[in-house]
Amino acid sequence: MIIQFLNELNKKNIILASSSPRRKEIIEKLGIAIQVLPSTFEENLDPKDFSSPGNYVIETAKGKTREIAGRVSAEQKPIDLIIGADTCVALGGNIFGKPKDDKDAFQMLKKLGGKSHEVITGVHLMAKKSDNTWHESEFSEVTTVKFASLTDELIQSYVNTKEPMDKAGGYGIQGIGGSLIEGIDGDYYNVMGFPLHRFTSYLLSIFEMWKM
Amino acid sequence: MIIQFLNELNKKNIILASSSPRRKEIIEKLGIAIQVLPSTFEENLDPKDFSSPGNYVIETAKGKTREIAGRVSAEQKPIDLIIGADTCVALGGNIFGKPKDDKDAFQMLKKLGGKSHEVITGVHLMAKKSDNTWHESEFSEVTTVKFASLTDELIQSYVNTKEPMDKAGGYGIQGIGGSLIEGIDGDYYNVMGFPLHRFTSYLLSIFEMWKM
């Protein structure tokens, strides 16, 4: 949606408050140059304190952007946009983040096998207004993922590849884990950790605010 | 599904009868080493001659593998598996292949904008049996893709990137074209040109035939 504004967008200083190489890759796919500045916000919110997984991941995303906003304001850096995101996997009332270890990854995959689950990414955006205050916006996006039936042997072989370790739900759709997935319903990039299409429509709104 | 058999699979000579860099990338994602040998089969079948888009793409895929099978048999090359694939886009009775030029790409995207279409990939597999004859199998996979509404200006900006040119339907979901897509229903890799999950289940059957 923003392809025709890329030249002007690339005059802006845009920060991604996340160390995820996948989020960086997805945003750069658009042709947008960004700077990565991982947030030091501690990701320790309890999903049980939120009315929905969407609100939980948005709150973590907000924690990331706001920490960066405080830091760049203190350092008086001229930043135009800060992007924060957080992703979780939800299945039958359980929320899965990144596995703690191989055993945890095995248990997560055992639960996901043969079933459909939801991948939820929360995004929080802070855009600098002309009066130098921040305009904040947020949303969450849900994609349904249907896993094939998995034998214990297959799960263990997959865990042994180490791919599951830094990923919510213990799998990577963009890696060898993609072969375990029968299909998805929704935005593929959301399963990778960043809802590309919804993001571009929010970015378009921000771009129009900047033009005013 | 085949992660635990990768070591043994990689002792096999596997040929991809397609020059698509995306198909190679998807199969290699599995950890399978393949050799690319583009088929010289002329892709000039008429979709109208087939009862469904699925049968049409399977027939083109079959043309590719059989051409390679004839060539490697003549050269007495020890090949274990040949993989052929073809992808098209179907919308309201129209079948779209790769656009002929920029104008054709524009017209395709204009038709796809704001609507859901189907991406259909046909796969044909030829596996060498112990008696040195070929075992053939085939399938087609459908994924539904929902496009955002597209303005003429946006379509033209996208066509100008040249990304549409070598892709069925005139877009690449894995590129900047991904931002034009609201969501999909089915296998993402099928939209890229190769149905990863279904392929692995066929590969598993072939692997079991080889073990017997």
Side-chain angles (χ1 to χ4, degrees):
Chain A
M1 319 308 288
I2 47 83
I3 301 175
Q4 63 269 50
F5 308 119
L6 280 179
N7 279 343
E8 292 192 61
L9 261 178
N10 276 326
K11 293 175 190 156
K12 301 291 184 180
N13 287 317
I14 303 177
I15 285 191
L16 173 63
S18 163
S19 58
S20 156
R22 295 175 291 283
R23 293 198 178 110
K24 178 170 189 281
E25 186 192 317
I26 294 167
I27 297 172
E28 287 182 339
K29 191 183 287 291
L30 288 172
I32 299 176
I34 53 168
Q35 188 190 338
V36 173
L37 199 59
S39 171
T40 58
F41 177 74
E42 202 174 349
E43 300 181 33
N44 59 3
L45 301 175
D46 188 339
K48 293 188 193 73
D49 294 340
F50 296 88
S51 58
S52 71
N55 289 336
Y56 159 64
V57 282
I58 284 176
E59 198 62 25
T60 300
K62 191 185 292 180
K64 293 180 185 178
T65 47
R66 288 191 173 168
E67 185 275 324
I68 295 291
R71 211 192 311 171
V72 297
S73 296
E75 296 172 3
Q76 297 194 307
K77 282 191 185 164
I79 299 300
D80 298 301
L81 176 65
I82 306 171
I83 305 165
D86 191 52
T87 301
C88 74
V89 161
L91 176 69
N94 289 314
I95 303 285
F96 301 135
K98 297 171 186 169
K100 284 189 279 293
D101 51 32
D102 281 9
K103 204 175 149 191
D104 196 25
F106 185 96
Q107 290 305 330
M108 281 185 190
L109 290 161
K110 181 109 180 150
K111 283 177 188 149
L112 299 180
K115 298 201 188 82
S116 289
H117 64 267
E118 292 186 333
V119 178
I120 304 115
T121 300
V123 173
H124 187 257
L125 303 169
M126 295 181 76
K128 189 69 74 64
K129 293 192 285 190
S130 54
D131 66 359
N132 227 25
T133 60
W134 294 105
H135 169 271
E136 299 184 66
S137 50
E138 61 189 39
F139 65 93
S140 66
E141 175 85 7
V142 179
T143 303
T144 303
V145 176
K146 170 85 168 67
F147 253 68
S149 295
L150 309 177
T151 62
D152 286 359
E153 188 193 3
L154 175 56
I155 294 175
Q156 192 58 54
S157 301
Y158 182 51
V159 170
N160 291 346
T161 67
K162 298 292 174 197
E163 187 175 277
M165 289 318 295
D166 63 334
K167 297 175 183 77
Y171 69 95
I173 191 173
Q174 71 288 350
I176 194 166
S179 69
L180 310 176
I181 293 168
E182 286 188 10
I184 70 169
D185 189 358
D187 185 338
Y188 168 83
Y189 295 105
N190 192 41
V191 185
M192 267 181 79
F194 198 75
L196 182 62
H197 180 71
R198 283 284 292 284
F199 170 69
T200 56
S201 62
Y202 276 78
L203 192 55
L204 189 59
S205 302
I206 289 169
F207 187 71
E208 278 161 3
M209 176 189 83
W210 279 338
K211 278 200 300 188
M212 284 192 305
Chain B
M1 320 308 290
I2 46 81
I3 301 175
Q4 62 269 50
F5 308 118
L6 281 178
N7 279 343
E8 292 192 62
L9 262 179
N10 276 325
K11 293 174 191 157
K12 301 291 183 180
N13 287 316
I14 303 177
I15 284 191
L16 173 63
S18 163
S19 58
S20 156
R22 294 173 291 282
R23 292 197 179 111
K24 178 171 189 282
E25 185 192 317
I26 294 167
I27 297 172
E28 286 182 340
K29 193 183 285 291
L30 288 172
I32 299 175
I34 53 169
Q35 187 189 338
V36 173
L37 201 59
S39 171
T40 59
F41 177 75
E42 202 174 349
E43 299 181 33
N44 59 2
L45 301 176
D46 188 340
K48 293 187 193 71
D49 294 340
F50 296 87
S51 58
S52 72
N55 288 337
Y56 160 63
V57 283
I58 284 175
E59 199 62 25
T60 301
K62 192 185 292 181
K64 294 179 185 179
T65 46
R66 286 190 174 169
E67 185 274 323
I68 294 290
R71 211 191 311 171
V72 298
S73 295
E75 295 172 3
Q76 297 195 308
K77 282 191 185 164
I79 299 299
D80 298 301
L81 176 65
I82 306 171
I83 305 166
D86 190 52
T87 301
C88 74
V89 161
L91 176 69
N94 290 313
I95 302 285
F96 303 133
K98 296 171 187 171
K100 284 189 280 291
D101 51 32
D102 281 9
K103 203 175 149 191
D104 196 25
F106 186 96
Q107 291 304 330
M108 281 184 189
L109 290 161
K110 180 111 179 146
K111 283 176 187 148
L112 299 180
K115 299 200 188 84
S116 288
H117 64 265
E118 291 187 332
V119 178
I120 304 115
T121 300
V123 174
H124 187 257
L125 303 169
M126 295 183 75
K128 190 67 75 64
K129 292 191 286 189
S130 54
D131 66 0
N132 227 23
T133 61
W134 295 105
H135 169 272
E136 299 184 66
S137 50
E138 62 189 39
F139 66 92
S140 66
E141 175 85 7
V142 179
T143 303
T144 303
V145 176
K146 171 86 167 66
F147 253 68
S149 295
L150 309 177
T151 62
D152 286 359
E153 188 194 3
L154 175 57
I155 294 174
Q156 192 56 53
S157 301
Y158 182 51
V159 169
N160 292 346
T161 68
K162 298 292 174 196
E163 187 176 279
M165 289 320 293
D166 62 335
K167 297 175 184 76
Y171 69 93
I173 191 173
Q174 71 288 347
I176 193 166
S179 69
L180 311 176
I181 294 167
E182 286 188 9
I184 70 170
D185 189 359
D187 186 337
Y188 167 85
Y189 295 105
N190 191 42
V191 185
M192 268 181 78
F194 198 75
L196 182 62
H197 181 72
R198 283 285 290 286
F199 170 69
T200 55
S201 63
Y202 276 78
L203 192 55
L204 189 60
S205 300
I206 290 168
F207 186 72
E208 278 162 4
M209 176 189 83
W210 279 337
K211 279 199 302 186
M212 281 191 307

